[in-house]
Amino acid sequence: MSEYEVDVAEIQTASATRGGEARENGVHTGGVQVGGVQRKTLRTRRRKESLTAYLMLSPSLIGVGLFLIVPFLLVFVISLTNWNLISDPSFVGLDNYQWLFSGDSFTKSLIVTVAFTAMALPTAIFVGLFIAIGLNRRLPGSTFLQLMYVLPWVCAPLTLGIVWRWMLDPSNGLINSVIGTRIEWMSNTNLALPMVAFVYVWQNVGYISLFYLAGLQSIPTSLIEAAKLDGAGSFRLLTKMYLPMLRPTTFFVLITTFISSFQAFDLVYGLTDGKPGYPGGTTDLIAAHIYQTAFRGGNQLGRASAMAVILLIIILAITFLQQRYFSKRTVYELD
């Protein structure tokens, strides 16, 4: 064996030895398997990336903690006490919750809120959708109409309630002056809640139409043109094209509008001249009922807090059901 052949054999032996040691340490010489050192480097990098992400999210997390989680915990603690804002609170356990379901005032208020939502929510969504379809045609003056539709939503609800109370005044109101007939809009027990729902729809329809308009404009025009070439009319475009592709928008609008309807207070306060529930409890929405119990019904803050906790549970439960329904029926991106 020549000297050259000996050197080659030694090199091959040393390489095989180092390869075996590398395999024992979990590293292939080709770099296919990640070894212990490389795993540690990856873990360190991921840890740094996670820390950076949490640092970037910290302002929002602090805001959520201070203005959402902490207030909820405080409200839950208060709901277990008897407190009138003057004397020291006394712990009563679940007595406030038992009082809620043993009486009928909270149940009636909840029924009024459900009736109000049933009137306002579908109407606002359907009207907002058809307004968005009209605005999507981009006819002359569409930009001005968009501004006019959205303007009520950006105004203070309490102010809108006061203005509409003047317009609905039976003696000097604008509505009765135009139609030439005296109608007790907000004093009639059969008309008060529908009028509150009407004003709520008028206020929020611009907000809804704005989101639907954005959803319509995100639909590829090639799909719409192809459907029209296949003979699809306006109704078929609406039912087979627009509505299925607007499900993400509908889900968002439905959730936000539902929560808003269950929390409606200042609009009702302005419409009823600071007497939520007038006339005869027909406008006693749950948010107004909580306010009355906390500050006008003997300052029963514990019972009002218990109502707020129940309201939160109801909203979360219905929102969860809506999310489960739409999760399997919603496509957010087109391939």
Side-chain angles (χ1 to χ4, degrees), residues 221-232:
T221 55
S222 58
L223 295 179
I224 300 176
E225 292 174 356
K228 290 181 178 179
L229 290 175
D230 289 339

Side-chain angles (χ1 to χ4, degrees), residues 113-114 116-129 153 197 199-212 249-264 285 315 318-319 322:
T113 305
V114 171
F116 166 76
T117 303
M119 287 187 287
L121 186 59
T123 305
I125 290 178
F126 283 123
V127 174
L129 174 61
W153 178 67
V199 177
Y200 177 85
V201 171
W202 174 83
Q203 178 196 3
N204 289 275
V205 72
Y207 161 82
I208 295 173
S209 64
L210 186 66
F211 280 96
Y212 271 125
T249 305
T250 302
F251 171 65
F252 174 79
V253 167
L254 184 63
I255 291 294
T256 55
T257 309
F258 166 76
I259 295 175
S260 173
S261 65
F262 260 67
Q263 294 178 338
L285 301 183
I315 291 176
I318 298 179
T319 301
Q322 291 173 338

Side-chain angles (χ1 to χ4, degrees), residues 120-276:
L121 186 59
T123 305
I125 290 178
F126 283 123
V127 174
L129 174 61
F130 284 105
I131 289 176
I133 293 175
L135 293 175
N136 193 44
R137 297 177 181 271
R138 300 180 181 179
L139 299 174
S142 297
T143 304
F144 175 75
L145 289 176
Q146 291 181 35
L147 176 62
M148 296 303 295
Y149 284 130
V150 176
L151 190 60
W153 178 67
V154 300
C155 295
L158 180 60
T159 304
L160 293 179
I162 295 173
V163 172
W164 271 97
R165 188 181 76 232
W166 166 76
M167 295 176 63
L168 296 172
D169 185 80
S171 301
N172 304 312
L174 179 63
I175 304 294
N176 286 350
S177 299
V178 171
I179 64 178
T181 304
R182 178 183 174 89
I183 300 178
E184 301 283 344
W185 296 104
M186 294 304 299
S187 300
N188 191 321
T189 55
N190 295 322
L191 295 177
L193 187 61
M195 288 309 303
V196 173
F198 169 78
V199 177
Y200 177 85
V201 171
W202 174 83
Q203 178 196 3
N204 289 275
V205 72
Y207 161 82
I208 295 173
S209 64
L210 186 66
F211 280 96
Y212 271 125
L213 180 60
L216 288 170
Q217 292 177 349
S218 67
I219 299 176
T221 55
S222 58
L223 295 179
I224 300 176
E225 292 174 356
K228 290 181 178 179
L229 290 175
D230 289 339
S234 299
F235 180 76
R236 187 169 291 274
L237 280 175
L238 175 63
T239 56
K240 302 298 183 180
M241 178 71 69
Y242 293 150
L243 291 181
M245 300 188 73
L246 287 174
R247 280 175 182 166
T249 305
T250 302
F251 171 65
F252 174 79
V253 167
L254 184 63
I255 291 294
T256 55
T257 309
F258 166 76
I259 295 175
S260 173
S261 65
F262 260 67
Q263 294 178 338
F265 168 71
D266 37 10
L267 183 66
V268 182
Y269 191 89
L271 279 169
T272 58
D273 195 17
K275 296 177 289 186

